[in-house]
Amino acid sequence: KLFFNKKLFKAKKFDYILGVDLRYVSSYSLFSYQPNVDVFVLPAAPLPANSAQFKLDFYTGFQIDNFRLYLKAENLDYFWSDQTNLQQIGYPVLPMTIRIGLTWDFFN
């Protein structure tokens, strides 16, 4: 995780963060999920292992007093990774997702 966090402007009330999450996932064999008994099972027939890959997320946000806003783009690696990789049998790798959050704390 690499990030830059800084309080900006003279009053130092604008707190800003910018960062990336970088992960490495080595190759792995796939499991099968059996929802009726809620277990993961190794398949009877050997399947090819997923290839190793880098995972990348980007996030940014700011805070002014009680107001906070953030934006996170997850799974940016989806654009250049092998999209035939699976999380587990029958479940593809998640595509890019954008999360936006807003909070406002009210006090008397």
Side-chain angles (χ1 to χ4, degrees), residues 2-105:
L2 301 170
F3 67 92
F4 169 78
N5 188 5
K6 181 85 173 162
K7 290 194 182 276
L8 302 174
F9 304 119
K10 190 173 185 177
K12 303 289 185 190
K13 291 192 175 202
F14 187 86
D15 192 11
Y16 179 74
I17 190 166
L18 176 73
V20 294
D21 290 336
L22 182 62
R23 301 175 306 280
Y24 175 76
V25 179
S26 62
S27 62
Y28 57 93
S29 298
L30 298 173
F31 285 97
S32 175
Y33 178 65
Q34 301 296 321
N36 52 348
V37 288
D38 195 30
V39 295
F40 291 95
V41 180
L42 284 171
L47 293 171
N50 275 353
S51 59
Q53 55 190 324
F54 283 97
K55 301 279 191 177
L56 178 67
D57 299 339
F58 166 81
Y59 60 93
T60 186
F62 68 87
Q63 176 177 348
I64 302 173
D65 291 331
N66 300 324
F67 174 79
R68 288 183 293 278
L69 177 72
Y70 75 89
L71 171 78
K72 184 173 185 181
E74 298 176 341
N75 303 321
L76 292 172
D77 55 284
Y78 182 77
F79 295 115
W80 64 80
S81 294
D82 182 6
Q83 295 180 5
T84 61
N85 277 349
L86 299 173
Q87 293 288 334
Q88 61 194 31
I89 297 171
Y91 293 87
V93 174
L94 293 174
M96 189 192 88
T97 306
I98 296 177
R99 297 178 189 260
I100 299 173
L102 173 69
T103 63
W104 188 290
D105 297 332

